[in-house]
């Protein structure tokens, strides 16, 4: 069991072995050095409070910690349910074949996109719904390209998560770097990558095929990046 240290006095009595055990359980690196540092900090002289006040703070902190533990347990249970339902869906394998998509991100995207194969007439339509495609405005000789801010924020968040995780894909990384070389900012570059990934996903769903790295980025395979 974890050592209990509800008050500064209790914490100052923790041994280095007890502290190291906690760090080990949470897979922390450099545990011995960290345990020594933590123990030294806990044993430093501190500005104290009357015992009743200290006890009250300890009770409140313990209650909050137990609430967080319970919340984390419920989140984990909910995640298991989400994963189970997602993996039972016929589109799950296609989503999971995409770079940057895991079971939770995939479930979020599937829920927001829906699974009606006729809902999006084209990749452009799916991108517009996702909010990743830019809005182009023209007036006379002027033409501006702006980000699409009216969008499904839950889907946009999932796509941003996917785009960041997809940077481990060579093709996705090359595409992202190309935008950065053009002096596109970090978030806009990720949004453009996300837009490209939505188009790839649409093609995979339409043809009922899994993601293929070479096919997905064939148009960008030989684009030099400075």
């Amino acid at each position: 069991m974890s050592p209990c240290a509800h008050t500064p006095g209790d914490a100052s009595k923790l041994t280095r072995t007890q502290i190291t055990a906690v760090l080990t359980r949470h897979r922390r690196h450099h545990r011995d050095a960290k345990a020594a540092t933590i123990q030294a900090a806990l044993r430093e002289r501190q500005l104290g409070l009357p015992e009743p006040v200290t006890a009250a703070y300890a009770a409140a902190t313990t209650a909050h910690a137990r609430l967080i533990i319970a919340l984390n347990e419920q989140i984990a249970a909910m995640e298991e349910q989400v994963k189970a339902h997602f993996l039972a869906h016929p589109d799950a394998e296609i989503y999971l074949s995409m770079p940057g998509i895991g079971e939770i991100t995939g479930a979020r995207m599937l829920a927001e996109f829906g699974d009606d194969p006729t809902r999006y007439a084209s990749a452009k339509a799916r991108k517009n719904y996702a909010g990743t495609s830019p809005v182009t405005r023209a007036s006379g000789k002027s033409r501006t390209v702006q980000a699409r801010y009216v969008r499904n924020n839950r889907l946009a968040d999932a796509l941003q998560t996917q785009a960041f995780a997809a940077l481990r894909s060579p093709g996705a990384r090359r595409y992202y770097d190309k935008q950065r070389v053009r002096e596109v900012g970090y978030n806009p570059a990720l949004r453009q990558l996300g837009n490209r990934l939505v188009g790839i996903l649409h093609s995979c769903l339409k043809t009922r095929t899994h993601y293929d790295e070479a096919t997905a980025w064939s148009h960008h395979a030989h684009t030099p990046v400075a």
Side-chain angles (χ1 to χ4, degrees), residues 159-181:
L159 292 171
Q160 188 84 347
T161 299
Q162 181 205 1
F164 176 76
L167 292 176
R168 288 174 291 184
S169 153
R173 183 76 206 198
R174 188 165 53 248
Y175 187 86
Y176 169 82
D177 288 342
K178 178 183 175 182
Q179 312 313 313
R180 296 292 279 161
V181 166

Side-chain angles (χ1 to χ4, degrees), residues 16-194:
R16 193 172 300 183
T17 300
Q18 289 174 315
I19 298 171
T20 301
V22 173
L23 295 174
T24 301
R25 187 160 52 252
H26 293 281
R27 300 177 181 178
R28 302 300 182 185
H29 298 293
H30 312 297
R31 291 185 286 271
D32 291 338
K34 289 180 179 178
T37 301
I38 292 171
Q39 185 185 52
L42 293 176
R43 293 186 176 183
E44 287 183 357
R45 294 187 61 183
Q46 302 178 25
L47 183 63
L49 292 170
E51 184 60 32
V53 177
T54 299
Y57 275 117
T61 301
T62 301
H64 290 154
R66 287 174 177 167
L67 285 173
I68 293 172
I69 291 171
L71 180 60
N72 286 337
E73 290 174 348
Q74 292 305 308
I75 290 173
M78 184 178 292
E79 284 185 347
E80 289 305 312
Q81 288 293 313
V82 170
K83 290 178 182 178
H85 287 292
F86 173 64
L87 292 175
H89 196 280
D91 290 347
E93 287 190 6
I94 295 176
Y95 273 87
L96 291 175
S97 72
M98 294 284 296
I101 294 183
E103 293 169 345
I104 298 300
T105 303
R108 291 171 64 191
M109 291 172 60
L110 174 59
E112 299 303 332
F113 274 131
D115 60 1
D116 182 352
T118 65
R119 184 177 185 182
Y120 306 100
S122 64
K124 179 66 173 177
R126 188 182 290 269
K127 291 175 181 180
N128 288 345
Y129 178 76
T132 54
S133 59
V135 177
T136 302
R137 290 187 172 91
S139 177
K141 295 182 179 180
S142 64
R143 180 175 177 272
T144 60
V145 179
Q146 301 174 337
R148 192 180 297 268
Y149 291 105
V150 179
R151 59 186 180 180
N152 180 329
N153 289 329
R154 293 184 297 274
L155 179 56
D157 180 65
L159 292 171
Q160 188 84 347
T161 299
Q162 181 205 1
F164 176 76
L167 292 176
R168 288 174 291 184
S169 153
R173 183 76 206 198
R174 188 165 53 248
Y175 187 86
Y176 169 82
D177 288 342
K178 178 183 175 182
Q179 312 313 313
R180 296 292 279 161
V181 166
R182 293 168 49 209
E183 299 185 356
V184 175
Y186 170 74
N187 282 322
L190 276 184
R191 186 166 56 248
Q192 289 188 34
L193 173 58

